Amino acid sequence: MLNYLDIELPDDARQLQQRVRRFVEDEALHLIPACFEARRFPTELIPRFAELGLLGGTLPPDGTGGAGLTPMAYGLACQELERGDSGLRSFLSIQSALCMFPIYTYGSESQQRRYLPEMARGALIGCFGLTEPEHGSDPIAMELTATPDGNGWVLNGTKTWIGNGSVADVAVVWGRTPEGIRGFLVERDRPGFATRDIEDRLSLRAATVSELKFTDCRVPADALLPGAVGLGAALRCLTEARFGIIFGVVGAAMACYETALAYTKRRVQFGKPIAAFQLTQQKLVDMLTGITQGQLLAVQLGRLKAADRLRHQQVSLGKRANVAMALDVARTARSMLGANGIRLHYGVMRHAVNLETVYTYEGTHEVHTLAVGRDITGEAAFG
Ligand SMILES: Cc1cc2nc3c(=O)[nH]c(=O)nc-3n(C[C@H](O)[C@H](O)[C@H](O)COP(=O)(O)OP(=O)(O)OC[C@H]3O[C@@H](n4cnc5c(N)ncnc54)[C@H](O)[C@@H]3O)c2cc1C
């Protein structure tokens, strides 16, 4: 296992990491290239996500579906999933951090009972609708409306770039009400709710990404998440998901580094393995250094989270730094494989293009720069 500084990890976290690694290597990796080409998430793996205790895994083990995983264990599971493909980790982020977490945190008891155990079993899939066609980085300006109507609400508007969108049974949807932004649970079969997949994307292809359209979509009063008040409630879910990304992208970088190392030791040019050239070694050492720094950053943020001392600005710093590192490692690995680097077979270009999505979603690199910038200067530079 790539852990150059022998960073100490708790036994439970290491054991889960090993179990998820075996799952990815034995059961997932062989499916990924075809899924990437066909632009589909391997839904046949969902029961295995559940058996591994990953779905909603960090929620308390209180009978609603959680497994009480520590942040470190969850993070390392994300690392191993993304070592396979960003689509696998994204699926977990959406189901756990963006759907089960808000239902657990903001939902009524009856909402928790209705959805969480089934979601932990993988029998119900969720999605999280915040982004709109005209509002990505500035969700505060969202246009989707939720209008009170008799004993319920009527939703009108569009969400886009929604992971799991068309395969989800229930959507966590954020909308504007007369009292401000609120979160709703909208089931797939509601009249007036339609989805359409975004088909021409060149990144995160082993996943489902869709547009959600609400046209006079009537939902009952108990679709409202009672505790989800204001945009801050949605942003708190994103902080949970970003925590997983900080670990996840280290996994993608590890996969690229390991592929580049093995390839350059094998590939002979000018009578020598290309790993014997100084320029190649410099690239490998830079990659390993970035990965090692990324691991240290992730582990320290995991410790802060376990101690309930993790601030969202620290998560922004970690997401920003580790995604940039992983993208750099993936692009470098791509170059080191020469022409083979662009082939799906070797996986490095797949990771590189996936990481272009991760650079943008869950808050873009630039927006996280502004979040940390505001934290250290006291000056908001968003507007
Ligand atoms: C594959 C994929 C899956 C996704 N899944 C989900 C999902 O499940 N749910 C969901 O709600 N959303 C999802 N998203 C949407 C994602 O969160 C948004 O794409 C992201 O927030 C950026 O919004 P945008 O694409 O509208 O870009 P824009 O906000 O239009 O930004 C375009 C560029 O302008 C920059 N920019 C914007 N504002 C500023 C500023 N103030 N200062 C400097 N630069 C700025 C941005 O950093 C970026 O470089 C997904 C996106 C992708 C690609």
Side-chain angles (χ1 to χ4, degrees):
M1 226 163 269
L2 178 54
N3 185 352
Y4 197 71
L5 293 191
D6 207 10
I7 302 165
E8 279 179 39
L9 300 166
D11 284 347
D12 64 308
R14 203 183 276 279
Q15 282 159 13
L16 183 68
Q17 174 185 13
Q18 283 164 359
R19 283 205 301 279
V20 178
R21 178 166 290 208
R22 274 199 300 277
F23 157 65
V24 169
E25 288 186 347
D26 299 347
E27 299 173 60
L29 262 184
H30 69 280
L31 300 174
I32 293 297
C35 286
F36 191 86
E37 280 198 306
R39 211 182 0 79
R40 79 168 184 97
F41 178 74
T43 45
E44 60 270 42
L45 296 177
I46 294 174
R48 295 289 293 123
F49 275 77
E51 281 162 23
L52 286 160
L54 298 178
L55 304 179
T58 54
L59 300 179
D62 60 4
T64 48
L69 294 181
T70 62
M72 203 78 85
Y74 174 77
L76 289 170
C78 287
Q79 173 188 293
E80 294 306 319
L81 291 174
E82 199 145 359
R83 194 168 161 270
D85 191 85
S86 298
L88 299 175
R89 199 270 310 139
S90 293
F91 174 79
L92 178 62
S93 295
I94 298 165
Q95 180 82 346
S96 297
L98 296 179
C99 294
M100 295 179 71
F101 172 79
I103 294 171
Y104 185 86
T105 309
Y106 307 128
S108 65
E109 244 187 85
S110 75
Q111 288 169 333
Q112 292 171 357
R113 274 201 309 273
R114 178 177 168 88
Y115 296 107
L116 292 177
E118 293 291 284
M119 294 182 87
R121 286 202 306 113
L124 284 182
I125 303 305
C127 70
F128 179 90
L130 180 66
T131 303
E132 298 187 352
E134 302 304 327
H135 304 287
S137 298
D138 65 346
I140 190 78
M142 69 176 67
E143 293 173 39
L144 186 140
T145 54
T147 311
D149 182 60
N151 195 22
W153 301 84
V154 176
L155 272 49
N156 275 295
T158 306
K159 298 290 177 184
T160 193
W161 291 109
I162 308 307
N164 288 358
S166 66
V167 295
D169 302 285
V170 58
V172 176
V173 179
W174 300 89
R176 187 173 295 289
T177 73
E179 291 95 45
I181 292 172
R182 300 296 305 264
F184 295 84
L185 296 173
V186 185
E187 295 187 358
R188 189 225 294 263
D189 53 9
R190 281 275 138 201
F193 176 17
T195 64
R196 191 170 54 91
D197 287 347
I198 299 176
E199 299 195 335
D200 64 345
R201 60 182 202 280
L202 301 174
S203 170
L204 207 75
R205 287 175 60 94
T208 303
V209 182
S210 321
E211 180 185 89
L212 315 182
K213 201 163 176 52
F214 302 90
T215 312
D216 291 331
C217 175
R218 212 167 279 275
V219 296
D222 65 3
L224 179 73
L225 282 164
V229 181
L231 184 65
L235 298 184
R236 211 176 138 199
C237 306
L238 294 173
T239 300
E240 289 295 309
R242 288 166 189 153
F243 175 78
I245 291 176
I246 293 169
F247 279 83
V249 293
V250 172
M254 285 163 74
C256 293
Y257 166 81
E258 285 168 340
T259 302
L261 177 62
Y263 187 89
T264 56
K265 282 163 85 172
R266 236 180 19 243
R267 174 75 175 166
V268 174
Q269 291 291 286
F270 298 96
K272 282 204 273 189
I274 55 177
F277 298 124
Q278 290 181 349
L279 289 177
T280 305
Q281 291 190 5
Q282 183 174 22
K283 286 181 188 177
L284 289 167
V285 173
D286 284 345
M287 292 157 93
L288 178 63
T289 305
I291 291 167
T292 304
Q293 289 170 339
Q295 285 174 319
L296 287 166
L297 181 53
V299 166
Q300 174 59 10
L301 294 178
R303 290 189 187 123
L304 287 177
K305 187 164 171 60
D308 211 11
R309 284 169 47 214
L310 184 60
R311 297 189 305 122
H312 70 82
Q313 296 90 341
Q314 293 167 324
V315 174
S316 285
L317 184 144
K319 194 265 184 186
R320 178 181 182 276
N322 276 9
V323 176
M325 175 280 293
L327 193 49
D328 198 34
V329 167
R331 287 172 177 158
T332 306
R334 214 285 318 136
S335 77
M336 292 166 81
L337 269 67
N340 279 329
I342 71 163
R343 291 177 58 197
L344 187 53
H345 171 78
Y346 287 90
V348 290
M349 181 112 167
R350 171 171 56 76
H351 280 296
V353 295
N354 281 344
L355 288 164
E356 293 290 348
T357 282
V358 187
Y359 193 82
T360 287
Y361 77 5
E362 302 282 347
T364 66
H365 185 82
E366 294 78 10
V367 165
H368 287 299
T369 308
L370 299 177
V372 179
R374 178 175 57 187
D375 191 42
I376 58 180
T377 65
E379 301 280 356
F382 291 86

